Amino acid sequence: MHVHPDCVPFACSDCRRCHQDGQQDYDTYHHHWREGNLPSGARCEVCRKTCGSSDVLSGVRCEWCGVQAHSVCSAALPPECTFGRLRSMVLPPSCVRLLSRNFSKMHCFRIPETVALELGDGDDGLDGSAATGLGREMLTATESTKQTLKIFDGNDSMRRNQFRLVTVPRLARNEEVTEAALRAYYINEDPRDFQLQALPLTILSGNAQAPGKAGTTEEEASKGSGPRDSMPEAWVIRSLPRTQELLKIYPGWLKVGMAYVSIRVNSESTARSVVQEVLPMLGRQVEDQERFQLIEVLMSSRQVQRTVLMDEELLLDRLWDIRQTSVRQVSQTRFYVAESRAMAPHVSLFVGGLPPGLCLQDYSNLLHEAMATKAAVVSVSHVYSLQGAVILDVTCFAEAERLYMLARDTAVHGRPLTALVLPDVLPPTSQHTKLPPDCCPLLVFVNPKSGGLKGRELLCSFRKLLNPHQVFELTNGGPLPGFHLFSQVPCFRVLVCGGDGTVGWVLAALEETRRHLACPEPSVAILPLGTGNDLGRVLRWGAGYSGEDPFSVLVSVDEADAVLMDRWTILLDAHETDSTENSVVDTEPPKIVQMNNYCGIGIDAELSLDFHQAREEEPGKFTSRFHNKGVYVRVGLQKISHSRSLHKEIRLQVEQQEVELPNIEGLIFINIPSWGSGADLWGSDSDSRFEKPRIDDGLLEVVGVTGVMHMGQVQGGLRSGIRIAQGSYFRVTLLKATPVQVDGEPWVQAPGHMIISATAPKVHMLRKAKQKPRKAANIRDTRVDTLPVPESNP
């Protein structure tokens, strides 16, 4: 929904229903119509005429399938939504369950709360109001004939010290002031139903002129006595008592052709009497009325709050209480009649950042010490020991909220914890629902730090196009929460948005969690956002994302071809070495790293290390590929005369056979035919000594470079590297501390051994299909090409 920043607090929470919440659960989903904000060239799905406008709210669009139509024409379309072109990739809301009573939408969809758009967020009310467009206009009014007033909306805004500023003539009548105050809060009701109350609480007469100074009597105020300069500056909008009201009651179930029914409530109307009156109007006259209840739903801009009304509660009193809290809150409140359901509290919390390698009982004890968990309502359901993470099952809403808020401010062994609210994806064997047979949902990982600001923009776009529960931000818990959420999905695909390092991170997490997955070998697609993006180039996803339509990206993923790719394990085993006769250097413990693209030793890794250190010093400057490549060129020129005779500092064995190295400065093991941002290091010339390289042949190619100049010539396409060997098992002996890089992650490796061998099984990747490019507008039209339309539709 597109709104002005100043209008956000007044927007009604009308978001898509992305999960079952125990309140209004159903398997069939209707179109979620959103009025306006259509492009000017949008065409109606029914009459094919233009239905968009940039000037007014014209036309409607389904937020799930994207179908666009005139408001009148939309009634001719079938009410059920099929999710459009992306239906096989969307995680169906009917398969996701999340009881989110105490959590906001930001918490449920794992969106960091970095931007606060609530009205008057500052502690100083004046600063909060001045931040809005309306407030800025009011503060410019300095004419002596006008006065600026602070207007509060009920008790809630007074408690928060949040107000809006209105400027009125000093001789304005009270009705004019009231109208101005209501306009400031976008309240379109009859001004005669409201009054202004001065602070301190001095009620103004509805017939009086503009408010006099605090403490004046009604008679004095009506005469306009007292100097205008002493007029109270702070006022609160109050609703006048009412003897009856027209109330809209919405059905808590899908009903075609009737959004709500309207009834009049008076001082004797209770929640039970309203239920009894509206059920026949909604076609439920033959059912047991005692099974239904009236639910009050507050749809504020940040959170949806539900309250079940007691049978004997008086509706007029309830509306009066709401208006006392906030007059505009009535416009954000709906009343639903729904069937009573017993809902057992259950919340799944992901807690990461714990020490790795512990058992279930150790993690339980550690969390009890750190956050005083209550054993009666909190249990550890899943343990991911390698990653230092657990899943908590909490059977108390209040305890779940307490643990969630506390974990975000807690550190264990010096590491801050990560807490996420995760829904449950119902397995196919569930009696409630199951995934459609043709559904293979897409699990999306986005690194917002990659590609400048493009990563964050894609994160927002994919949340809109898909179910936001299937889109994960990698800086908020890593890949593990996503794989845990999809652990019961029998078939799914993965899209990684980031550089080669991000892809390696996700593939490593997939390897570690594979045994927990119902789909142990999901296919992985790439949207390249990094600097080199060599793996993305090989799989035809391009040299880097340059602003393509996110919808067309998802279509390409859906049409991509599955291929296999080798992955390699590198064992790093440092040995003790004597720096002098009487001293011994401490060794590093053995460690294992995974390789997807290439591993470099020597000058190649040294350049990567210098670049990495420069980025660590000033990360804010490394936000574009052009700048990053410029830094690579600069550090390369600084090393152009560098010589370390690498062939004398290392030993290489291939398949247990010693290989003599030529005079080189860098040794590179390549798994894919792309290195250093697209260069072909192996070359295309045929050679009878070696097989033609493939990404799934179970072989690595070993290539040498003689220095920075040679590397530059390779990247320019003038030369290729020095072909040295090809094999599936390698042993490298480092005689001195040497720079090493794996898939762009560099470090200095101590003397010792490096053993490189194939990892089983191979990983399934998605390669973009060869096809004729289509315009974004044409692709967008296919988003709804399967929707049934009336016969008259061309």
Side-chain angles (χ1 to χ4, degrees):
M1 179 184 297
H2 300 266
V3 294
H4 298 105
D6 188 36
C7 299
V8 168
F10 306 100
C12 221
S13 178
D14 185 30
C15 296
R16 298 175 297 171
R17 294 184 55 80
C18 300
H19 55 262
Q20 308 273 30
D21 58 4
Q23 299 291 337
Q24 302 176 31
D25 297 345
Y26 32 78
D27 295 336
T28 303
Y29 272 73
H30 285 188
H31 292 296
H32 187 97
W33 295 117
R34 174 73 34 79
E35 183 182 15
N37 300 135
L38 302 184
S40 57
R43 291 194 173 274
C44 176
E45 185 69 18
V46 178
C47 67
R48 307 307 298 175
K49 296 180 180 179
T50 301
C51 60
S53 172
S54 58
D55 300 323
V56 296
L57 288 177
S58 172
V60 293
R61 173 176 52 201
C62 175
E63 292 299 294
W64 279 115
C65 66
V67 63
Q68 302 169 148
H70 294 104
S71 299
V72 175
C73 295
S74 63
L77 292 170
E80 292 80 12
C81 180
T82 61
F83 299 106
R85 172 64 180 83
L86 303 178
R87 60 187 175 278
S88 63
M89 311 180 77
V90 174
L91 183 64
S94 58
C95 299
V96 185
R97 181 175 294 276
L98 176 59
L99 307 183
S100 55
R101 192 184 72 174
N102 288 18
F103 294 101
S104 69
K105 290 176 292 187
M106 309 288 278
H107 299 156
C108 294
F109 298 132
R110 304 170 303 279
I111 302 174
E113 300 182 49
T114 55
V115 180
L117 293 176
E118 279 291 339
L119 176 63
D121 281 335
D123 294 333
D124 185 349
L126 180 60
D127 292 342
S129 294
T132 67
L134 181 61
R136 285 194 296 269
E137 295 173 5
M138 297 306 181
L139 290 175
T140 59
T142 58
E143 302 176 19
S144 59
T145 59
K146 295 184 178 181
Q147 183 169 355
T148 300
L149 306 176
K150 298 178 182 179
I151 304 297
F152 292 86
D153 174 24
N155 298 334
D156 186 62
S157 64
M158 287 193 296
R159 179 176 58 84
R160 299 172 180 266
N161 194 28
Q162 295 176 348
F163 56 86
R164 297 180 75 79
L165 300 175
V166 298
T167 299
V168 295
R170 294 184 181 275
L171 299 180
R173 296 185 58 81
N174 185 49
E175 292 88 341
E176 298 172 341
V177 179
T178 303
E179 290 177 4
L182 294 177
R183 282 197 303 270
Y185 284 97
Y186 304 103
I187 299 172
N188 298 320
E189 299 183 45
D190 191 343
R192 292 173 295 182
D193 293 331
F194 301 91
Q195 64 181 0
L196 289 180
Q197 205 171 56
L199 297 181
L201 302 178
T202 303
I203 301 177
L204 299 180
S205 169
N207 296 323
Q209 282 189 328
K213 58 185 178 181
T216 59
T217 66
E218 181 177 328
E219 182 180 357
E220 291 171 338
S222 64
K223 295 179 180 178
S225 61
R228 297 299 179 187
D229 291 340
S230 62
M231 181 190 304
E233 295 183 355
W235 302 83
V236 59
I237 303 175
R238 293 296 189 193
S239 176
L240 295 174
R242 307 183 186 187
T243 58
Q244 63 177 5
E245 286 201 48
L246 189 65
L247 196 62
K248 295 178 180 178
I249 306 295
Y250 293 79
W253 59 88
L254 285 178
K255 185 169 180 64
V256 179
M258 183 179 295
Y260 60 86
V261 295
S262 299
I263 63 170
R264 288 197 176 274
V265 295
N266 52 37
S267 58
E268 297 180 356
S269 300
T270 64
R272 174 51 51 192
S273 66
V274 168
V275 170
Q276 293 172 349
E277 183 177 351
V278 301
L279 280 178
M281 302 170 66
L282 295 172
R284 294 293 184 100
Q285 62 270 24
V286 297
E287 300 195 21
D288 183 8
Q289 297 181 348
E290 297 299 324
R291 294 190 295 107
F292 292 85
Q293 59 191 4
L294 194 63
I295 302 175
E296 175 192 314
V297 181
L298 171 61
M299 301 183 295
S300 66
S301 60
R302 288 196 169 221
Q303 187 174 7
V304 177
Q305 298 176 344
R306 293 180 174 87
T307 304
V308 178
L309 301 183
M310 302 297 293
D311 286 348
E312 64 276 7
E313 186 155 7
L314 297 173
L315 266 298
L316 273 186
D317 291 347
R318 184 64 183 173
L319 292 171
W320 170 258
D321 292 339
I322 294 174
R323 288 192 171 94
Q324 287 294 102
T325 301
S326 169
V327 172
R328 65 183 171 92
Q329 184 173 312
V330 175
S331 63
Q332 298 176 321
T333 302
R334 281 185 177 181
F335 291 91
Y336 285 84
V337 57
E339 192 171 356
S340 303
R341 294 184 180 181
M343 184 174 59
H346 174 264
V347 178
S348 294
L349 287 181
F350 169 89
V351 180
L354 297 168
L358 303 182
C359 64
L360 186 148
Q361 189 59 46
D362 291 338
Y363 281 125
S364 297
N365 296 337
L366 192 62
L367 290 173
H368 180 71
E369 294 174 5
M371 299 189 294
T373 56
K374 300 177 181 178
V377 295
V378 181
S379 61
V380 178
S381 63
H382 294 79
V383 173
Y384 295 96
S385 181
L386 291 176
Q387 297 90 349
V390 297
I391 306 296
L392 299 181
D393 272 353
V394 189
T395 57
C396 173
F397 288 127
E399 177 67 3
E401 183 180 24
R402 184 188 73 85
L403 291 177
Y404 175 80
M405 302 304 293
L406 182 61
R408 300 196 302 176
D409 298 324
T410 301
V412 174
H413 296 178
R415 294 181 59 192
L417 297 182
T418 300
L420 298 175
V421 180
L422 293 182
D424 296 319
V425 176
L426 303 177
T429 57
S430 172
Q431 61 180 351
H432 301 288
T433 185
K434 62 180 180 180
L435 288 167
D438 62 339
C439 182
C440 185
L442 185 69
L443 174 58
V444 181
F445 295 110
V446 181
N447 187 348
K449 294 183 178 180
S450 299
L453 297 178
K454 291 190 174 81
R456 196 159 296 281
E457 293 172 357
L458 285 169
L459 195 65
C460 183
S461 297
F462 288 143
R463 283 185 178 131
K464 293 176 182 178
L465 292 169
L466 303 170
N467 189 327
H469 284 302
Q470 63 190 103
V471 181
F472 286 80
E473 182 176 346
L474 286 171
T475 55
N476 193 16
L480 181 58
F483 285 125
H484 172 79
L485 178 64
F486 273 60
S487 60
Q488 298 300 314
V489 179
C491 178
F492 68 92
R493 292 164 287 184
V494 178
L495 172 62
V496 183
C497 307
D500 288 339
T502 302
V503 176
W505 183 15
V506 173
L507 292 179
L510 173 60
E511 184 67 31
E512 294 171 350
T513 59
R514 191 184 302 275
R515 62 188 180 90
H516 299 285
L517 302 178
C519 176
E521 297 179 350
S523 299
V524 181
I526 301 172
L527 184 57
L529 299 180
T531 302
N533 302 315
D534 289 293
L535 185 54
R537 295 170 190 264
V538 171
L539 296 175
R540 299 182 187 150
W541 295 108
Y545 177 71
S546 56
E548 294 86 356
D549 179 25
F551 178 78
S552 65
V553 171
L554 294 178
V555 171
S556 297
V557 172
D558 193 36
E559 297 174 348
D561 303 318
V563 295
L564 293 176
M565 185 184 76
D566 298 324
R567 295 189 74 231
W568 299 82
T569 299
I570 303 177
L571 172 64
L572 304 170
D573 186 12
H575 288 176
E576 294 184 358
T577 57
D578 294 339
S579 59
T580 65
E581 292 183 359
N582 300 321
S583 64
V584 177
V585 177
D586 293 335
T587 64
E588 300 176 359
K591 66 177 182 178
I592 294 176
V593 297
Q594 302 292 333
M595 185 190 82
N596 303 307
N597 301 353
Y598 38 71
C599 169
I601 304 173
I603 186 63
D604 168 51
E606 194 170 344
L607 295 183
S608 296
L609 186 62
D610 290 346
F611 173 84
H612 180 76
Q613 292 172 344
R615 183 168 56 182
E616 289 294 314
E617 292 175 359
E618 297 179 295
K621 293 184 177 181
F622 291 77
T623 57
S624 70
R625 297 189 196 97
F626 182 79
H627 177 269
N628 294 352
K629 291 180 179 180
V631 175
Y632 261 117
V633 171
R634 188 175 71 247
V635 298
L637 292 175
Q638 294 172 352
K639 304 282 185 180
I640 197 167
S641 60
H642 174 81
S643 176
R644 63 182 300 160
S645 300
L646 182 70
H647 62 288
K648 299 179 180 179
E649 299 177 358
I650 65 174
R651 300 286 183 267
L652 173 64
Q653 288 184 1
V654 181
E655 313 290 1
Q656 309 294 333
Q657 299 294 322
E658 191 82 22
V659 175
E660 183 178 355
L661 295 176
N663 186 355
I664 57 174
E665 295 297 322
L667 186 67
I668 304 170
F669 300 81
I670 53 177
N671 184 44
I672 61 175
S674 179
W675 167 85
S677 300
D680 186 1
L681 191 59
W682 183 260
S684 57
D685 297 339
S686 60
D687 192 330
S688 59
R689 297 175 301 165
F690 307 109
E691 298 181 20
K692 184 178 180 179
R694 300 198 321 270
I695 64 174
D696 63 344
D697 57 4
L699 299 174
L700 276 182
E701 288 68 49
V702 186
V703 183
V705 292
T706 59
V708 173
M709 185 68 70
H710 187 185
M711 293 170 59
Q713 291 171 335
V714 170
Q715 291 187 329
L718 304 177
R719 292 179 61 184
S720 58
I722 302 173
R723 296 177 181 179
I724 295 176
Q726 189 180 52
S728 60
Y729 181 85
F730 306 87
R731 183 185 184 94
V732 181
T733 302
L734 303 180
L735 305 179
K736 295 175 59 177
T738 307
V740 174
Q741 67 98 357
V742 175
D743 293 342
E745 299 298 324
W747 70 91
V748 176
Q749 179 62 28
H753 297 297
M754 294 176 56
I755 298 176
I756 306 176
S757 59
T759 301
K762 301 176 187 290
V763 64
H764 293 247
M765 304 298 294
L766 288 174
R767 182 171 59 195
K768 189 175 182 179
K770 290 183 177 180
Q771 58 184 7
K772 184 178 179 180
R774 292 179 292 178
K775 294 183 179 180
N778 294 335
I779 296 178
R780 186 173 297 277
D781 288 341
T782 66
R783 191 173 171 185
V784 294
D785 59 359
T786 59
L787 281 174
V789 294
E791 295 181 358
S792 59
N793 186 35

